[in-house]
Every structure is written in C-alpha cells, then in structure tokens.
Amino acid sequence: LLDLPATADREGAREADFQHGKIGFRDVHFSYQPDRPQLHGVTVEIPASQTVAITGPSGAGKSTLVSLLMRLHDPQSGMITIDGTNIRDFTLKSLRSRISFVPQEALLFSQSLRDNLTLGAGRDISDAEMRDIAARARAHEFISALPDGYDTVLAERGGSLSAGQRQRIAIARAGLRHAPIFVLDEPTVGLDA
C-alpha cells in the first residue's frame, strides 16, 4: 500500500472557491485494476442545490463516484468539474473542505459527543447551532437523554451508541460544516424511515 501512488495537487492548483456546487462528470473512465473497468464513459451533470440519489447494485460504482469527486482517486480519462472548473485545478485540502461527506459507517472517537459533533467544522460552533443541527439529524432527543447530554464521553468507535445513533451523529457533524456539497454514501442503512 505504501508503494501505491498518492493523489497529489497538480502544479499551480488553487484554493477551491466554488460557491454553488454544480457537479459534472464528463466521459469519465476509471478502473481500480487495468483489466476490470469500473466506470465506462460516465457523463452526468448534477445541478447545484438539488438532491440526487444514485442507485444500483453493489459494485456498480456508486462509492467510486464519491471517491473520484473527493479525489481519493483520479479517473484514467475524462474530467470532473464543480461549477465548471476541473477539480484537479483545486488543492486537495481546499476541495475536500468544501464537501461534507457521511460514509456508510460512522467514524466516532472516544471523546464527548460535543467534540465528535464539532470535529472538522473548521470554526467555532455555538451550543444553539449544535443543538439545532443535531435536532435536524434526529439526534438531539437521544443525546439529551444521556446522563451527561452533549458532554457524554463515548466508548471507543462510538460503541456506547447504537449503529443508528452513530449515523445520526455523523450526519449532524457533516451538517455543521456548511459545505456547498453534501454527500451521503448509504449512511441510512441502519436507520428507520
């Protein structure tokens, strides 16, 4: 793994400054292994301020689209744009700071719920804003019922919470980032309607 080439900033990359978040995949080809193509000429435009669901069977490339958007990998050919700019023209750090991402399995730390929620926001979060976003993610009620509320320290990997509660914390955390693009990679698998 250490010998694999890492995705890097290209020379002259600039800070991501997109405001709207219109995403474009233009004739994108990608494979993890040369003899097994994952994406074949994907062309799609996702308008800004829209909710879009991408569905398909396991292995169809849904998570691959997300990893390409966040430049965990680069396509072999084609281009991915945000607001018309090739994402390779942005620095990795600034691109990823403008995308809120909730993975299939929530990553929580052995810290307070408050710390887990505000992790990665990149700014000070007021208690009122934290509670508002937690309520929107349907987490405030169960957090408030805990002995120390938002100051409750979680077990390692959030083991003191149910899978659904962990996902709600991850969704709230992503909501606190106020990023123009919000990506959910099947995070509701363990949640009821």
Side-chain angles (χ1 to χ4, degrees):
L1 287 176
L2 294 175
D3 290 336
L4 291 174
T7 305
D9 289 339
R10 70 165 44 164
E11 190 174 328
R14 61 183 171 87
E15 293 292 304
D17 57 357
F18 57 87
Q19 298 299 313
H20 306 290
K22 180 174 95 175
I23 299 168
F25 283 78
R26 298 180 187 161
D27 195 28
V28 172
H29 293 261
F30 178 76
S31 62
Y32 293 101
Q33 300 171 357
D35 57 336
R36 297 179 63 198
Q38 185 69 31
L39 300 177
H40 314 272
V42 171
T43 298
V44 66
E45 187 171 290
I46 301 171
S49 303
Q50 298 293 309
T51 300
V52 175
I54 299 172
T55 63
S58 293
K62 302 177 301 291
S63 294
T64 300
L65 290 173
V66 173
S67 68
L68 290 171
L69 177 64
M70 297 179 62
R71 288 204 61 218
L72 299 175
H73 304 282
D74 283 327
Q76 277 81 34
S77 65
M79 180 172 42
I80 302 165
T81 62
I82 299 178
D83 288 351
T85 301
N86 187 333
I87 63 172
R88 290 182 180 186
D89 292 339
F90 300 131
T91 64
L92 284 168
K93 184 177 180 179
S94 68
L95 170 68
R96 293 172 184 165
S97 75
R98 314 264 309 139
I99 300 171
S100 284
F101 174 66
V102 182
Q104 292 178 20
E105 186 173 327
L107 178 61
L108 299 179
F109 299 96
S110 206
Q111 297 177 334
S112 71
L113 275 162
R114 178 184 315 279
D115 291 339
N116 273 283
L117 284 166
T118 60
L119 178 72
R123 61 189 175 83
D124 290 333
I125 305 291
S126 71
D127 285 350
E129 182 182 10
M130 181 176 55
R131 287 186 178 98
D132 177 57
I133 295 292
R136 288 175 172 192
R138 306 292 189 259
H140 177 72
E141 190 173 311
F142 77 78
I143 293 171
S144 297
L146 295 170
D148 294 319
Y150 286 84
D151 294 318
T152 301
V153 175
L154 299 179
E156 186 175 336
R157 301 187 75 187
S160 50
L161 300 175
S162 73
Q165 289 171 328
R166 289 192 299 270
Q167 284 305 99
R168 291 185 187 285
I169 297 299
I171 291 168
R173 179 191 318 169
L176 284 167
R177 294 192 64 204
H178 293 297
I181 298 174
F182 196 98
V183 177
L184 303 165
D185 187 6
E186 297 187 65
T188 58
V189 172
L191 300 178
D192 59 25

